[in-house]
Amino acid sequence: MVEGVKRDGVLVYGLGRSGRGVARFLAREGKQADWTDARPAPEDEALMAELGWTRGDVTQAYSTVVAAPGVPIDHPDLERLRAVGAEVIGEVTLAARARPTLPMVGVTGTAGKGSTTVLIAHLLRACGLNALEGGNIDPPLLDVVDRAEVAVAELSSFQLERVPGLRLPVAVITNLGLDHLDRHGTPAAYHAAKLNITAAQQESDVLVLPADLTVPTRAQVRRFDPARLALADGTSVLSPADLPAGIHPANAAAALLAAEALLVHLGRAADPGLLAAALQSAQPVAGRFETVAQVAGVTFIEDSIATRTLAVQAALDRAHPPVAWLVGGRDKGAELAPLRQAAQGRVTQVIAFGEDGEALARSLGLPYRVVTGEDGEATMRAAVQAGLEALPDGGTVLLAPVGTSFDQFRDYKARGESFRRAAQALAAGQAEA
């Protein structure tokens, strides 16, 4: 045996939001772990010092490595740790193993998974269950498992790379497009990661899918149709036309079937009246196609998280034309042909910003204007102003940027908040005038 081998040791590899959740959970359980992070933030190092944990040595062996989703699953350190006996898991598997009796709904997809996750939890709460959402969406899953009767987890492809043996009584795939090819390499690898959500499901479990998607599974399949908000037996719950603004019918249809399946799993009946009322009281998730300001007949819609082709396409389809479309950030290789088609007859001008904005705009083949600024905040103010100027007779300024935020902003939320501030400043200026 190698000197210093930690056969029962745990290494938390990668901190940040997910790693901090893992650390807090393990500490509550009275467990010690080592940690490592290539670029730990000051708050991460402060937490590790508070817990009394020491920085790990990846040349040693550990029985378990809890790897943050930001760490590529084929990272050389993880490969080496596996080679000497470590099992590499993520926070989702840690939660499922630590709380095996907690019912869990898992939601993934190329677009809509966050909104669907929140909506499922909302429906289950309306039916009397203490359902809490977490995972890829705030907060980390491990922050909610001890407070929830039911956990509803948004699961990214990165999280689903590290879920060995995860069995969910109810799983949802909202759709399967293309995303994160810069990380996964090929569409097949990306889809394979997504399909891990159902890999361990059995015949008594339920998998909710769109009508046009077929995947290998042992679970019972429930197919949703955005034109019909109904239960599994066809009982109509609500007309899609009666959904609140900002609630996508596809997300609502998937959430209904998932909530019903979880209720049945718990031996409860699904009440169509309760579910209809819950749908009508649902609120869109902040930062998902959210109206943030109105100025001179122009609506400003923030959808900063829309970097996936399907998500951007959905935003373009929903935005009231004419549209000034804010495109930019760092190109992540999104498929653009469907976006060119979705924009035809709807987009008056592309407002290009950030590192790859102009290149993306040229590739889209639409009229465009490039804006710049000394930093991200100034650039966003210029983009918002340019969007307003492109719509003298009213319309929609849409931030659905295609590119990631990491050229000028900390993350997509910071970019969305910058857009919100700029649009609301214009609205305030109009009100004063």
Side-chain angles (χ1 to χ4, degrees):
M1 181 179 292
V2 177
E3 185 178 353
V5 162
K6 298 189 176 184
R7 277 292 168 219
D8 296 320
V10 176
L11 176 67
V12 178
Y13 196 114
L15 297 175
R17 187 180 71 87
S18 175
R20 288 193 297 272
V22 170
R24 289 190 296 263
F25 178 80
L26 291 174
R28 290 196 302 271
E29 296 285 287
K31 296 180 179 178
Q32 286 285 317
D34 291 350
W35 67 276
T36 188
D37 191 298
R39 292 181 297 276
E43 59 267 32
D44 295 338
E45 292 186 296
L47 177 60
M48 296 302 101
E50 178 186 335
L51 296 177
W53 290 6
T54 58
R55 194 158 193 160
D57 180 353
V58 297
T59 66
Q60 292 189 349
Y62 293 84
S63 59
T64 305
V65 176
V66 187
V71 181
I73 199 67
D74 59 355
H75 190 286
D77 285 348
L78 298 186
E79 296 282 20
R80 199 212 64 79
L81 287 160
R82 282 192 201 90
V84 293
E87 182 186 28
V88 176
I89 64 173
E91 67 155 325
V92 178
T93 295
L94 181 61
R97 291 179 180 177
R99 301 293 181 266
T101 62
L102 176 68
M104 192 182 300
V105 180
V107 185
T108 198
T110 304
K113 62 183 179 296
S115 296
T116 303
T117 297
V118 171
L119 193 50
I120 293 168
H122 174 71
L123 294 178
L124 292 173
R125 286 193 291 271
C127 294
L129 290 168
N130 178 27
L132 298 176
E133 61 266 34
N136 193 54
I137 196 170
D138 283 331
L141 183 60
L142 286 164
D143 281 1
V144 307
V145 292
D146 289 328
R147 299 185 287 115
E149 263 184 292
V150 176
V152 187
E154 179 191 350
L155 302 176
S156 71
S157 59
F158 301 160
Q159 288 173 309
L160 286 168
E161 287 178 316
R162 55 208 74 200
V163 289
L166 176 69
R167 180 181 175 185
L168 298 166
V170 181
V172 181
I173 302 176
T174 58
N175 42 59
L176 272 184
L178 296 179
D179 196 20
H180 298 305
L181 298 188
D182 53 339
R183 169 88 167 253
H184 293 291
T186 66
Y190 169 64
H191 290 167
K194 288 291 193 183
L195 293 181
N196 281 336
I197 198 169
T198 188
Q201 284 193 298
Q202 301 300 319
E203 290 80 0
S204 59
D205 303 321
V206 171
L207 176 63
V208 177
L209 295 173
D212 60 352
L213 180 62
T214 299
V215 303
T217 183
R218 288 181 292 273
Q220 304 170 45
V221 172
R222 304 279 188 271
R223 298 193 177 278
F224 66 87
D225 178 354
R228 295 191 69 247
L229 304 183
L231 300 178
D233 65 0
T235 300
S236 180
V237 171
L238 189 72
S239 167
D242 293 329
L243 287 170
I247 303 298
H248 198 291
N251 298 340
L256 269 176
L257 289 176
E260 178 192 21
L262 195 281
L263 289 166
V264 171
H265 173 74
L266 296 177
R268 301 187 179 211
D271 184 326
L274 276 178
L275 292 168
L279 284 175
Q280 290 178 304
S281 67
Q283 299 293 318
V285 178
R288 267 79 163 179
F289 200 81
E290 182 181 6
T291 297
V292 299
Q294 299 271 350
V295 180
V298 175
T299 300
F300 290 79
I301 293 178
E302 190 259 295
D303 204 358
S304 179
I305 199 171
T307 61
R308 304 165 180 86
T309 299
L310 284 174
V312 178
Q313 188 174 2
L316 288 169
D317 290 344
R318 294 170 67 191
H320 190 273
V323 176
W325 178 17
L326 273 59
V327 171
R330 181 169 294 162
D331 186 3
K332 60 185 285 189
E335 189 180 11
L336 298 182
L339 302 183
R340 282 193 291 271
Q341 183 176 354
Q344 291 300 318
R346 303 179 65 81
V347 173
T348 296
Q349 188 174 62
V350 171
I351 311 299
F353 67 94
E355 182 177 307
D356 293 319
E358 184 172 6
L360 286 166
R362 284 199 306 268
S363 297
L364 287 166
L366 299 165
Y368 70 89
R369 172 181 172 182
V370 179
V371 298
T372 60
E374 60 186 15
D375 55 21
E377 198 77 10
T379 300
M380 189 59 72
R381 286 196 298 270
V384 165
Q385 180 65 44
L388 180 64
E389 293 170 0
L391 301 170
D393 299 318
T396 304
V397 175
L398 172 67
L399 175 65
V402 184
T404 70
S405 59
F406 302 126
D407 60 332
Q408 293 182 302
F409 298 94
R410 180 181 69 253
D411 53 29
Y412 79 89
K413 291 183 180 179
R415 179 171 59 186
E417 289 163 1
S418 180
F419 175 85
R420 182 189 304 259
R421 283 191 294 272
Q424 291 177 350
L426 282 182
Q430 181 196 40
E432 289 176 4

